[in-house]
């Protein structure tokens, strides 16, 4: 796209869906996130099942639930927040929801003169 690309993550942004929906990886101009957003490869429940599934399967059901909940909470605190993404440069700023409009306006003002050079397109059909 030759227009400004501005992304605001409001809630959940997981895996490939996060990447293709206007991420820095695909050259978005500005990426913002609300503080309550969750940005990660997987949601907590799926991640715990993949990472600790075999270990949890060996436990009795009551112990399994307690351990699963504990691991899920640790995962959420460590990975499911925009702060980790911001540390790695995937988010430009973590913004308060009531300031979203101001950030978008400022981003549009900055990118007002944006010029994207597109590769030349070849005309016509190849010989058949």
């Amino acid at each position: 796209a030759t227009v400004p690309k501005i992304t605001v993550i409001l809630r959940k942004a997981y895996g490939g869906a996060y990447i293709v929906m206007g991420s820095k990886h695909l050259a978005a101009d500005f990426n913002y996130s609300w503080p309550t957003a969750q940005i990660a490869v997987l949601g907590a429940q799926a991640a715990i099942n993949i990472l600790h599934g075999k270990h949890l399967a060996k436990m009795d059901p009551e112990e399994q639930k307690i351990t699963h909940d504990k691991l899920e909470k640790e995962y959420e605190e460590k990975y499911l927040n925009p702060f980790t993404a911001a540390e790695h440069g995937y988010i430009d700023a973590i913004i308060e929801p009531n300031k979203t409009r101001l950030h978008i306006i400022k981003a549009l003002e900055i990118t007002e003169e944006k010029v994207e050079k597109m590769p030349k397109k070849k005309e016509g059909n190849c010989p058949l």
Side-chain angles (χ1 to χ4, degrees):
T2 58
V3 297
K5 294 175 271 188
I6 302 165
T7 302
V8 181
I9 301 171
L10 310 178
R11 295 193 67 231
K12 297 177 181 180
Y14 297 151
Y18 157 71
I19 293 171
V20 300
M21 295 300 287
S23 68
K24 283 286 182 196
H25 302 84
L26 294 180
D29 297 308
F30 288 93
N31 289 84
Y32 301 119
S33 173
W34 285 3
T36 54
Q38 296 180 346
I39 305 167
V41 174
L42 289 170
Q45 186 171 5
I48 298 309
N49 289 339
I50 291 170
L51 296 171
H52 303 283
K54 290 180 183 178
H55 176 70
L56 290 169
K58 296 175 185 175
M59 299 178 178
D60 65 76
E62 187 175 316
E63 183 184 8
Q64 182 182 30
K65 176 154 179 34
I66 293 168
T67 305
H68 189 281
D69 291 347
K70 179 183 169 220
L71 290 169
E72 196 171 312
K73 185 175 180 183
E74 289 173 4
Y75 183 88
E76 286 175 1
E77 289 173 4
K78 188 172 183 180
Y79 299 109
L80 282 186
N81 62 67
F83 304 101
T84 304
E87 286 175 11
H88 290 92
Y90 303 142
I91 302 294
D92 293 315
I94 299 168
I95 61 174
E96 291 300 320
N98 62 345
K99 302 283 187 203
T100 303
R101 184 178 298 222
L102 295 174
H103 284 278
I104 293 172
I105 290 168
K106 186 167 184 146
L108 288 169
E109 288 171 350
I110 291 169
T111 57
E112 185 175 12
E113 302 295 324
K114 177 183 175 180
V115 176
E116 192 81 23
K117 293 187 179 182
M118 302 298 287
K120 290 185 178 182
K121 298 189 186 230
K122 294 182 180 180
E123 307 270 339
N125 292 329
C126 62
L128 300 176

